[in-house]
Amino acid sequence: MSKVSIQGNASGTGTFTIAAPNSNSNQTLTLPDVTGTVVTTGSTGGVTQAMLASGVAGNGPAFRATRSTTFNPSGSTWTKVPLNSENFDTNNNFDNATNYRFTPTVAGYYQINTHAFATGSPPECYVALYKNGSNVAYSLFNGSGTGQWTGMVSDVWDANGTTDYFEMYVWTSASSPAISGMYMSGFMARSA
Amino acid sequence: MTLCEKIKAIYPDLSDADFAPIDGVIVLQNDSDGKGDYIKEWNHPTLPRPTDEQLAAMKAA
């Protein structure tokens, strides 16, 4: 028969009490057959991604970065969009001041979106998602006549939680285009 | 004068297709780090990559 051993701590002075609720029913609490610390409703921040079962949504990083003013990249040049403003950045993983990139510090799979649009009679334009400096997904937006032309990338990529990073680039055939409506957003879809 | 315009001035035979964003043989990039446009990839089958001196001369012209 397995046994239950309750062990005190010689260094502490507090008293831990196991208390029954005001109940007339009989209940059994079964301890998990693993080594670890028991989590209670008061363990704020104590449940990690690794403790969640498969298929359970977690509390991973999420962000949305924007650029408030129009952007004028050089023609025929892939240019990183300086997304210098944020709506939210739950884990401070988006750099909106220097490198304008999302570097998630939690390993996992991330849904990431990029978006831009041009108005009037836009030239050939592309919006792209870069991972670690390489173009990994892109979308073409252009057309004849006037109107509003929108390009968007929506994709899922893995990130190692340390060095992997994501950026937004645009490309246009115009010599001095004006791109607006730029944003990049994303969130952790599941842990690694 | 953009980098693309400088390169086209050095090599007038180059076309927009050579600079196409996905399958072009010349890839230009700007990382918004204050260093400006640069040649990321040069895979043209016959023309050599222009030197910094050639590009600088186009800027001065």
Side-chain angles (χ1 to χ4, degrees), chain A residues 79-157:
Chain A
T79 305
K80 188 195 299 185
V81 178
L83 298 166
N84 53 12
S85 182
E86 296 175 349
N87 297 107
F88 55 87
D89 184 9
T90 63
N91 208 39
N92 294 321
N93 287 159
F94 191 89
D95 175 0
N96 69 345
T98 305
N99 290 312
Y100 310 109
R101 66 177 53 156
F102 176 57
T103 309
T105 54
V106 181
Y109 299 86
Y110 287 80
Q111 166 77 49
I112 300 179
N113 315 295
T114 62
H115 172 274
F117 75 78
T119 58
S121 300
E124 184 180 14
C125 295
Y126 286 78
V127 58
L129 172 66
Y130 275 47
K131 178 185 178 185
N132 298 337
S134 297
N135 187 336
V136 293
Y138 61 88
S139 173
L140 166 66
F141 62 114
N142 72 344
S144 58
T146 59
Q148 292 184 332
W149 308 97
T150 295
M152 182 173 185
V153 170
S154 181
D155 206 350
V156 176
W157 280 92

